[in-house]
């Protein structure tokens, strides 16, 4: 754990979080997708957003990074618990309300927060995610089938994650940067096998009090035009499902927000969360 990271007791677990910027500025809570620790919201991106007058919070969800880990294949939580963790982390940080950004799988977590904990949410941003509707297109044919890695062999695990990133980032894939991220993530995790497994084994329970149409806060959707995991129709479906939703398409981008498009992403978030 670095000197800028801290473990917070939340809902009976420990969550590791790091902040950027001035606590007096509007808070932006970043929640990355399945299996991804807070490192996947890279520090350079967080600093860019903080420079636009936002108090940026990134954190390890359960079973990622330095936060509480569970036995492989037996997560002791559901998606609603992860949403309650986000609200609990805001409590621990002394923040009443935040702009919440959920990427990929954590779009579901963001939805639960927005519907079931609306007083804590100033705005929502859904990044590279989906409504999950049955009539939406499946992943594109460019997504390869990758056999599970040998978890006793760190090189096998590293290669598996790097090749997964290559398939998702498309032309913006940077192998050296990807390997650096994966190695740091592996070295830092309490249990990296649990990180790659448990989010997909949890119960995907949705909001108690409704769905996308019940969101009352401003909603932004950011989606890659070439997303091979959730083709663009998934982002369009969120825009259409929420009241007064706004969609920003990054035309040449796959799944996620690569470094060459950080400025575009920061501009969109800064505009959505206020001026500056």
């Amino acid at each position: 754990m670095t000197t800028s990271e801290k473990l917070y007791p939340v809902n009976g677990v420990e969550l590791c979080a790091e902040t950027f910027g001035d606590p007096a500025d509007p808070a932006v809570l970043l929640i990355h997708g399945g299996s991804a620790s807070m490192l996947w919201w890279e520090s350079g991106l967080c600093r860019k957003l903080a420079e636009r007058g936002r108090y940026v919070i990134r954190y390890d969800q359960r079973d990622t990074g330095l936060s509480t880990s569970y036995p492989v294949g037996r997560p002791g939580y559901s998606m609603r618990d992860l949403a309650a963790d986000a609200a609990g982390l805001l409590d621990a940080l002394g923040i009443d309300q935040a702009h919440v950004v959920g990427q990929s799988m954590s779009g579901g977590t963001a939805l639960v927060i927005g519907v079931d904990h609306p007083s804590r949410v100033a705005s929502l941003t859904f990044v590279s995610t989906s409504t999950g509707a049955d009539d939406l297109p499946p992943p594109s044919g460019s997504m390869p089938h990758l056999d599970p890695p040998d978890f006793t062999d760190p090189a096998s695990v590293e290669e598996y994650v790097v090749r997964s990133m290559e398939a998702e980032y498309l032309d913006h894939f940077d192998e050296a940067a990807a390997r650096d991220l994966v190695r740091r993530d592996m070295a830092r995790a309490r249990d990296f096998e649990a990180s790659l497994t448990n989010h997909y084994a949890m119960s995907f329970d949705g909001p108690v009090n409704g769905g996308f149409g019940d969101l009352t806060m401003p909603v932004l959707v950011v989606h890659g035009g070439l997303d091979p995991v959730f083709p663009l129709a998934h982002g369009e479906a969120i825009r259409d499902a929420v009241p007064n939703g706004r969609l920003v398409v990054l035309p040449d981008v796959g799944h996620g927000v690569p470094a060459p498009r950080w400025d575009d992403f920061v501009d969109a978030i800064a505009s959505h969360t206020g001026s500056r």
Side-chain angles (χ1 to χ4, degrees), residues 159-170:
E159 192 66 17
Y160 172 82
V161 181
V162 169
R163 296 282 73 85
S164 297
M165 294 174 70
E166 180 180 28
E168 294 179 2
Y169 282 37
L170 305 176

Side-chain angles (χ1 to χ4, degrees), residues 14-225:
E14 288 184 317
L15 298 180
C16 185
E18 184 176 23
T19 61
F20 300 78
D22 186 343
D25 286 335
V28 176
L29 181 67
L30 302 175
I31 313 174
H32 217 290
S35 299
S37 76
M38 68 179 179
L39 296 186
W40 291 65
W41 293 114
E42 296 191 51
S43 58
L45 173 60
C46 294
R47 285 192 292 268
K48 281 179 175 288
L49 190 52
E51 288 166 2
R52 299 291 291 272
R54 303 297 179 271
Y55 184 52
V56 180
I57 306 146
R58 66 176 186 173
Y59 72 104
D60 298 325
Q61 296 190 84
R62 302 189 197 196
D63 271 319
T64 70
L66 294 172
S67 292
T68 294
S69 185
Y70 293 78
V72 173
R74 292 188 286 132
Y77 54 86
S78 70
M79 184 162 277
R80 287 180 192 163
D81 293 316
L82 297 185
D85 285 352
L89 180 60
L90 294 180
D91 289 337
L93 290 165
I95 296 171
D96 291 331
Q97 194 176 65
H99 300 276
V100 176
V101 181
Q103 179 162 324
S104 194
M105 178 185 289
S106 292
T109 307
L111 172 64
V112 176
I113 301 167
V115 174
D116 290 345
H117 307 272
S119 66
R120 313 306 304 275
V121 182
S123 74
L124 278 176
T125 300
F126 294 97
V127 182
S128 304
T129 188
S130 175
T131 62
D134 292 339
D135 61 346
L136 290 170
S140 75
S142 65
M143 288 299 294
H145 170 75
L146 298 175
D147 292 328
D150 175 1
F151 284 102
T152 66
D153 178 7
S156 172
V157 176
E158 176 186 319
E159 192 66 17
Y160 172 82
V161 181
V162 169
R163 296 282 73 85
S164 297
M165 294 174 70
E166 180 180 28
E168 294 179 2
Y169 282 37
L170 305 176
D171 289 345
H172 288 296
F173 175 69
D174 180 331
E175 178 133 3
R179 288 196 183 277
D180 175 67
L181 171 59
V182 174
R183 288 170 181 169
R184 287 184 289 119
D185 208 21
M186 291 174 64
R188 184 172 169 276
R190 292 195 188 190
D191 184 338
F192 200 69
E193 183 175 359
S195 295
L196 290 186
T197 303
N198 284 356
H199 280 184
Y200 302 96
M202 71 178 169
S203 172
F204 287 87
D205 47 5
V208 173
N209 298 312
F212 285 97
D214 299 292
L215 294 171
T216 57
M217 64 288 298
V219 174
L220 172 68
V221 182
V222 179
H223 213 95

